[in-house]
């Protein structure tokens, strides 16, 4: 018997039975670096048994192993395929490389809208939008599809892109098994119930166990204090009383002296350095020293001495990330050895060798590389995508030790650290500074702790004057957040559904969405309230029964009289004729009331009290009934309004029998995706862009996809390309206004106005202008410009396929003129 084998016969027998029942799981598990956790084994067993699975587990718990097992199963069967979908191109690129290492370049493909590599492979990684488009087009690549892995499926709550996830889940062929991988959400069972309704047998597997335990600290000067009382643990959320004393300003002299000594040892005045900078000083009682924040280089040094690197500092602004790198650089701190610096330089030079020398200068390449050689980097959306990928690779290889990142890094990218530092627990949401949610806190701190490397991960919260240890403890103790649907029908969705299954069946399909499922669940609760209330109403009616007559009618007359009298007293400014008429009505009601048989009942007031309860409850029941009516079939009603708009514009025609068919324009709409599907289709049909050259069409396409920052001022017409472009833009804006009015008339939300903020820069770029000039015109970071270029390319690609004649040819030319330089180099 080998070491580690169980000696208990019953245990050995159970394991042997499991091996026989699930041999594929056992064989797959034997190839992994780590022993599979119970939730991973349960999910793999469900897949091997032919069921779909929903796996909800913390960040870093190893959910993707389940998706990789689904791919393993597909590769074991001749002719079967597996698609791996992600919400972001960066995640798709990363997974593509990982799967290539396992299955080889010939077996793995990548489709991200702007990248098409080996799309006919048996394993294809793609963004979720690409799969949605394939389903509507009934693409040949779907033949043989057996498994679809939807990574980060909780993205369906995203109000801009979330609907795509539901479209895919609803429209996948019934035989396809779905592997849904989610962060820990509080309503996983509800989501799993819906998946079971639309996808068939689905196993819901929830794990709240982190593979690497997380230690939570608060950094007070140079002291890492535990957030929780060591004797109590996170489960009880008992906050470290030392933190509460500091918060209350009643710390002892010994405590203050101890903190001062630790501050000096972390690089304070005795080391010859300036006192710490940054942050407002908290107001504290006169007998307690003020607590000043360590600056970033000092925090990095503290973590280095405590062996808590590599670390990610989450800072909720790009400027803050870049500022953090500059502060550490200016301090002279270097975190790498000579051998590590040589390897960093080799990797960076290899990955950037195709970039033009002039572009390197514009991108700040030399300073960026020098910072990397020091072991520090920023990571945010303003960086060129390929630069971000280099940072990710070097961090994973432990060559870069400290990364200052925005929260986007927490969304699924494989960059685990030993320590995560949160400088603040609030962020700017575009309108105001708001506290981060427990879900965001869990997502961010989930990066701490590397499986197989760290015994534990560490989350460090920096002390601020506004920090409340109890509030932090509450954030750290709650692990979940609810998953709510953001699904809504679009014009493209409507024409595709009508063409495939007809209008009535389309309504049924939309009523099976998670959005309607959640609305119906709410309706179930309201309906139960109504049922209970109706029983109470019957009891009230019995209690106010009167042997002299109908007390319900009598009570109704009393309420009517009371309401009229109140109105008459309140509305003293009404014309005399109206007040006179109202007085006559009041007098008539009083007479009727006095003549009613119940008026002379000796128990009249007792009956009346029951009558008041009856009336109050009846009003509440009626309100609930209206809510039920409003919520039932809400998605289908929105779909009907969308179809009405399409019918008004002759994209569909409704026959006398109610049947709905697409027109030629509707057939074109089927292949136009995005927020402005209707505007694009109408502009093409009306020929508004026929006179544009390639740079002009690129600039106008950019106007349709670009979303300006909230504080960005519109450029007006100054600096915009002249001639045909301005005419086409003016006609497009007029068309948008007409469509917006039409949508408002049909009680639909409409879209934002066309934005010209990037038109001039995109026009220049498409004409071959230098990167330096274009970034200056755009007033954007390189990464942002590349992102909008890729979205422009995506729309131009659609135009090249659906437009007629000259516009299609111009779109192809425009596409190639935009796809150059850093846009091509942007990734992979």
């Amino acid at each position: 018997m080998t070491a580690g084998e169980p000696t208990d016969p019953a245990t050995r027998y159970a394991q042997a039975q499991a091996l026989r029942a699930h041999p594929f799981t056992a064989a797959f598990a034997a190839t992994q670096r780590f022993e599979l956790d119970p939730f991973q084994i349960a999910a793999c067993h469900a897949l091997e048994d032919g069921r779909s699975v929903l796996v909800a587990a913390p960040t870093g718990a190893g959910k993707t192993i389940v998706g990789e097992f689904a791919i393993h199963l597909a590769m074991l069967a001749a002719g079967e395929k597996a698609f791996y979908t992600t919400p972001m191109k960066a995640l798709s690129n990363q997974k593509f490389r990982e799967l290539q290492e396992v299955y080889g370049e010939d077996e793995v493909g990548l489709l991200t809208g702007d990248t098409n590599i080996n799309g006919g492979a048996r394993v294809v990684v793609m963004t979720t939008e690409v799969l949605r488009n394939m389903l509507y087009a009934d693409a040949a690549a779907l033949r043989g599809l057996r498994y679809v892995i939807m990574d980060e499926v909780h993205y369906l709550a995203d109000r801009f892109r979330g609907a795509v996830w539901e479209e895919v889940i609803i429209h996948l062929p019934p035989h396809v098994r779905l592997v849904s991988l989610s962060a820990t959400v509080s309503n996983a069972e509800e989501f799993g119930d819906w998946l079971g309704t639309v996808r068939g047998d689905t196993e819901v597997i929830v794990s709240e166990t982190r593979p690497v335990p997380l230690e939570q600290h608060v950094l007070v000067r140079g002291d890492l204090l535990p957030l929780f009382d060591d004797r109590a643990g996170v489960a009880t959320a008992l906050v470290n009383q030392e933190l509460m004393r500091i918060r209350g300003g009643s710390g002892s002299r010994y405590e203050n002296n101890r903190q001062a000594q630790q501050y000096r040892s972390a690089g304070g005045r005795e080391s010859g350095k300036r006192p710490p900078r940054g942050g407002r000083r908290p107001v504290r009682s006169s007998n307690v020293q003020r607590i000043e924040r360590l600056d970033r280089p000092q925090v990095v040094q503290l973590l280095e001495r405590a062996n808590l690197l590599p670390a990610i500092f989450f800072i909720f602004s790009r400027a803050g990330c870049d500022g953090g790198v500059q502060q550490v650089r200016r301090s002279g701190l270097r975190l790498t050895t000579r051998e590590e610096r040589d390897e960093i330089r080799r990797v960076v030079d290899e990955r950037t060798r195709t970039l033009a020398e002039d572009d390197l200068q514009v991108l700040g390449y030399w300073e960026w590389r020098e910072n990397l050689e020091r072991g520090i980097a920023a990571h945010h959306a303003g960086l060129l995508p390929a630069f971000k990928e280099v940072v990710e690779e070097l961090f994973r290889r432990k060559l870069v030790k400290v990364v200052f990142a925005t929260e986007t890094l927490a969304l699924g990218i494989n960059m685990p650290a030993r320590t995560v530092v949160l400088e603040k627990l609030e962020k700017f949401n575009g309108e105001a500074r708001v506290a981060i949610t427990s879900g965001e806190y869990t997502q961010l701190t989930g990066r701490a702790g590397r499986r197989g490397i760290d015994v534990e991960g560490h989350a460090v919260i920096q002390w601020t004057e506004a920090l409340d240890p109890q509030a932090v403890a509450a954030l750290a103790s709650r692990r979940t957040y609810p998953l709510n649907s953001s699904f809504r029908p679009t014009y493209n969705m409507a024409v595709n559904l009508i063409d495939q299954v007809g209008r009535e069946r389309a309504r049924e399909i939309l009523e099976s969405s998670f959005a309607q499922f959640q609305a119906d669940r709410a309706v179930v609760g309201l309906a139960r309230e109504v049922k209970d209330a109706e029983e109470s109403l019957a009891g009230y009616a019995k209690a106010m029964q009167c042997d002299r007559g109908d007390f319900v009618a009598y009570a109704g007359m009393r309420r009517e009289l009371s309401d009229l009298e109140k109105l008459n007293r309140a509305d003293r400014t009404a014309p005399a004729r109206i007040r006179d008429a109202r007085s006559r009505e009041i007098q008539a009601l009083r007479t009727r009331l006095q003549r009613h048989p119940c008026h002379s009942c000796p128990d009249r007031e007792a009956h009346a009290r029951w009558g008041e309860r009856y009336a109050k409850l009846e009003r509440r029941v009626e309100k609930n009934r209206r809510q039920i009516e409003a919520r039932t079939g809400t998605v289908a009603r929105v779909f009907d309004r969308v179809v009405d708009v399409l019918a008004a514009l002759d994209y569909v025609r409704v026959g006398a029998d109610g049947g709905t068919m697409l027109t030629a324009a509707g057939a074109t709409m089927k292949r136009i995706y995005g927020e402005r599907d209707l505007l694009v289709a109408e502009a093409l049909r009306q020929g508004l862009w026929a006179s544009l050259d390639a740079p002009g069409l690129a600039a106008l396409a950019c106007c349709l996809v670009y979303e300006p920052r909230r504080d960005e001022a519109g450029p007006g017409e100054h600096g915009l390309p002249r001639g045909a472009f301005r005419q086409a833009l003016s006609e497009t804006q007029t068309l948008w206004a007409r469509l917006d009015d039409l949508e408002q008339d049909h009680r639909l939300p409409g879209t934002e106005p066309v934005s010209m903020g990037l038109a001039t820069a995109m026009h220049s770029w498409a004409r071959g202008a230098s990167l330096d000039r274009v970034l200056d015109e755009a007033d954007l970071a390189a990464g942002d410009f590349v992102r909008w270029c890729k979205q422009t390319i995506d729309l131009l690609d659609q135009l090249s396929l659906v437009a007629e004649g000259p516009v299609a040819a111009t779109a192809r030319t425009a596409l190639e003129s935009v796809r150059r330089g850093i846009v091509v180099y942007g990734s992979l």
Side-chain angles (χ1 to χ4, degrees), residues 489-491 493-495 497-498 502-503 506-507 510 636-654 658-662 746 748:
T490 65
Y491 298 107
M493 186 194 303
V495 294
L497 284 173
I498 290 170
R503 183 171 181 173
R507 291 181 97 260
L510 293 175
R637 282 203 296 275
V638 173
F639 171 74
D640 287 337
R641 293 171 197 159
V642 166
V643 174
D644 289 344
V645 169
L646 291 170
L649 295 169
D650 200 35
Y651 285 88
V652 301
R653 288 183 187 150
V654 182
T660 306
M661 296 180 60
L662 300 191
H746 286 83
L748 291 171

Side-chain angles (χ1 to χ4, degrees), residues 50 219 253 690 713:
L219 176 57
R253 180 178 299 176

Side-chain angles (χ1 to χ4, degrees), residues 481-501:
Y481 53 97
L483 179 61
N484 294 312
S485 172
S486 60
F487 184 82
R488 62 180 178 82
T490 65
Y491 298 107
N492 171 271
M493 186 194 303
V495 294
N496 273 289
L497 284 173
I498 290 170
D499 187 54
Q500 288 181 357
V501 298

Side-chain angles (χ1 to χ4, degrees), residues 815-826:
L815 186 154
E816 293 305 323
S817 66
V818 174
R819 189 157 52 192
R820 67 180 181 87
I822 64 166
V823 178
V824 175
Y825 178 74

Side-chain angles (χ1 to χ4, degrees), residues 651 665 668-669 672 676-686:
Y651 285 88
T668 299
M669 169 79 78
I672 299 174
R676 299 194 184 275
D677 47 7
L678 183 60
L679 179 60
V680 172
E682 270 297 279
L684 288 177
R685 185 163 67 161
Q686 296 181 23

